[in-house]
Amino acid sequence: MTSSALVEWLAQAGLRNVPLEDLVDGFGRRLNGAGVAVERLFVGMNTLHPMVRARSLIWDHGQGITKQFEFVHAEIDSAEIRQSPFDPMLRDGIAERRYRFDTGADVPALPVFEELQAAGTVEWMGWVLPLGELAPRVGGATEVEHAERGWLVVSATTSQPGGYRVEDVALLRQVIQVFAVAIKAVTTRAIGHGLLAAYLGNDPASRVYAGTVLRGEVQSVEAVLLFADLQGFTALADTVPGRDLIALLDDYLGCMVQPVVDHGGEVLKFMGDGLLAAFAVVGGDRAAVCADALKAATEALALVDRLNMDRRAGGQPAAGLDVSLHIGKVLYGNVGSDTRLDFTVIGPAVNEASRIEALCTPLGRPLLMSRAFAEVATLSQDRLVSLGRHRLRGVREETELFGLS
C-alpha cells in the first residue's frame, strides 16, 4: 500500500465514522502493508466527560487491539500517567520524539520503556497532536480541558533491526496528522453522546443523536415510574454551607442513581433533592420490569441507610429517603419551547407517582407503591402489603397504596 492510498483510506474512515478500534487496527495493518514494520501502536486522548478524563488503547501486530484503558479525573495525577513518555511532551509542548533502545542513548528510565526493551523493541517514536484550537496540555485533577483543547498521543514501536528506516519515518510523518484528523472525526460523536447521556440519560441521548429533536415529537410508552425525594433537605440547606451541601446532595443522589442504572432504568430528571426515573416496559414482560424497579428502590433505600450511618457516626447531618413506584402510560420525548427542549416523560401517571411519594412521610413508609404497580408486580407480590385507600392531591377517587411487608 502506498502512502497516498493510506491517506485516502484514513480520510474515508473518518468520513464514515468507522469505530475507533477498527480505525486503529486498520491503520496498524496498513502501515505494515506499506512496508513500515510497526510492532505496536499506542493511542491515547483526553475527553470531555463528568467521570472519564482520558482513554487509551494498545494495538499489537499479531493480536490487534489488546488493551483499552479509561482514566478518571483524579487519575490524571497518578504515577502511571506521570511516568508516561508523553507527560513531558504534553507539558513542554514537544510534538515528536524518538528513542532507540538498541543503542541505549538518552533513553529515560520509564516503566513502559523497560517493558518494551524486554520485549525486543528497537525503537519508539511518539507524537503529540492537538485536536483543537489551543495547544495541547494537561491540567490538574480539578482543571478539566474544554472541548477546544483536545489532544491525541500516538506511539509506534518497531522490532526491526536498526530501527525505522529513513523512508519509514517519512511515511509516518506524512500520515500521522491525517490519522489524527480521522481519530477526531470518529471520537467527536462518542464525546457528544457521552455528554448527552450524562445530562439526559443514555436512551434519550441515543434518541436525540438518532434524530428525535423536534419539539412535540413524543411517543406513548408504558413505564414504571420511580420518584425519589430526600426528607428534610430544606432544613439541611439552611444549616449546611454551600459546598458541603452540594457534596452531601451528590452523595445522596449517587445512592439513588446507581441502583436505577444497574437495573435498567433511566434517570430522566433531577428535581432539587430528588429525581424521576423510568423503567420502560419492553416486550410485554411487565412483571420483570416491576421487579427490577422494586430492586432499584430497595437498594437505593439501603444505600441511603448505610450512608446515614456513616454520616451520623462522623457527627454529620443525615436525611431520609422517600420513594414511590407506579406504572402507566406516559408520553416520552421532546417537550418545551422552540429554543429550549427537555427530553422527559409527561402524563397523569407521572403526576400520580409524584403525589404517591408525597404520602410517604405522613404514612411513615419510605416506599409506597400504587395498586396498578402491585397488580402487575406478580414476581414480588409476597413482599407487598396493602396500606388501605388514600386520597391523592388532585385525584378525585381514593387509591389503594402498598408498602413492603
Side-chain angles (χ1 to χ4, degrees):
M1 171 174 278
T2 63
S3 60
S4 59
L6 179 52
V7 166
E8 182 179 355
W9 178 83
L10 287 170
Q12 289 295 320
L15 289 171
R16 292 185 288 108
N17 282 330
V18 169
L20 176 62
E21 294 80 3
D22 294 344
L23 175 61
V24 174
D25 180 63
F27 183 56
R29 289 188 289 103
R30 284 168 174 79
L31 281 173
N32 280 273
V36 183
V38 175
E39 191 66 30
R40 187 173 94 157
L41 288 173
F42 174 88
V43 178
M45 69 209 74
N46 65 343
T47 189
L48 188 61
H49 191 275
M51 296 299 297
V52 181
R53 181 64 168 273
R55 294 185 171 95
S56 62
L57 55 82
I58 294 175
W59 175 87
D60 180 86
H61 184 204
Q63 304 176 60
I65 304 296
T66 58
K67 294 180 181 179
Q68 299 193 54
F69 308 92
E70 284 189 346
F71 299 93
V72 300
H73 289 276
E75 292 175 327
I76 203 68
D77 290 320
S78 66
E80 185 176 0
I81 296 293
R82 295 307 180 203
Q83 293 176 347
S84 164
F86 292 111
D87 184 67
M89 296 176 67
L90 283 162
R91 296 184 182 280
D92 299 334
I94 300 170
E96 179 184 298
R97 264 187 173 161
R98 297 173 64 185
Y99 291 109
R100 284 282 298 274
F101 300 142
D102 54 347
T103 63
D106 301 322
V107 177
L110 299 175
V112 65
F113 285 168
E114 293 174 2
E115 174 193 336
L116 290 172
Q117 290 180 71
T121 300
V122 174
E123 184 172 356
W124 180 94
M125 192 169 185
W127 298 266
V128 171
L129 301 134
L131 298 182
E133 298 176 1
L134 304 180
R137 58 187 293 276
V138 174
T142 59
E143 183 186 359
V144 181
E145 293 91 351
H146 55 68
E148 295 178 350
R149 194 160 56 206
W151 47 259
L152 173 72
V153 295
V154 183
S155 69
T157 62
T158 184
S159 301
Q160 181 174 258
Y164 289 120
R165 302 166 300 179
V166 173
E167 57 269 32
D168 297 336
V169 173
L171 188 145
L172 285 168
R173 288 172 174 165
Q174 182 179 357
V175 301
I176 196 65
Q177 292 195 13
V178 185
F179 177 62
V181 171
I183 290 282
K184 182 177 181 180
V186 302
T187 56
T188 296
R189 177 184 174 88
I191 291 173
H193 185 278
L195 283 174
L196 279 177
Y199 285 91
L200 299 179
N202 189 61
D203 184 68
S206 298
R207 291 174 184 267
V208 169
Y209 248 104
T212 308
V213 296
L214 298 179
R215 181 171 61 152
E217 189 173 358
V218 297
Q219 64 180 117
S220 177
V221 299
E222 186 178 32
V224 174
L225 302 169
L226 183 152
F227 255 92
D229 191 54
L230 289 178
Q231 303 169 0
F233 183 78
T234 302
L236 284 176
D238 291 336
T239 59
V240 178
R243 287 191 175 274
D244 292 341
L245 184 67
I246 295 300
L248 176 151
L249 184 58
D250 285 345
D251 286 343
Y252 280 105
L253 289 176
C255 293
M256 303 179 213
V257 170
Q258 196 57 54
V260 170
V261 174
D262 289 345
H263 293 289
E266 288 281 354
V267 176
L268 299 176
K269 189 186 296 291
F270 291 107
M271 299 170 294
D273 56 331
L275 59 80
L276 165 63
F279 297 75
V281 177
V282 180
D285 197 352
R286 304 165 79 211
V289 176
C290 287
D292 287 336
L294 182 57
K295 289 177 184 176
T298 54
E299 287 179 16
L301 289 166
L303 288 173
V304 167
D305 284 345
R306 196 175 309 153
L307 175 61
N308 284 338
M309 289 179 60
D310 293 339
R311 291 186 63 83
R312 291 184 181 114
Q316 297 175 300
L321 179 65
D322 290 335
V323 181
S324 68
L325 293 171
H326 181 43
I327 187 170
K329 291 283 188 179
V330 295
L331 293 176
Y332 179 51
N334 289 307
V335 179
S337 73
D338 54 356
T339 58
R340 175 67 171 85
L341 293 173
D342 190 15
F343 205 103
T344 187
V345 291
I346 61 171
V350 180
N351 299 332
E352 289 176 32
S354 173
R355 287 159 187 170
I356 291 171
E357 182 274 320
L359 291 178
C360 285
T361 298
L363 295 180
R365 290 275 184 165
L367 173 60
L368 290 178
M369 292 156 279
S370 68
R371 179 179 181 83
F373 178 89
E375 288 177 344
V376 177
T378 55
L379 299 178
S380 310
Q381 282 184 345
D382 59 334
R383 303 177 59 196
L384 309 185
V385 59
S386 175
L387 303 176
R389 299 179 66 82
H390 300 270
R391 185 172 298 281
L392 304 181
R393 183 174 58 85
V395 179
R396 180 177 301 175
E397 296 184 359
E398 292 184 340
T399 183
E400 187 177 13
L401 298 179
F402 290 75
L404 288 180
S405 58

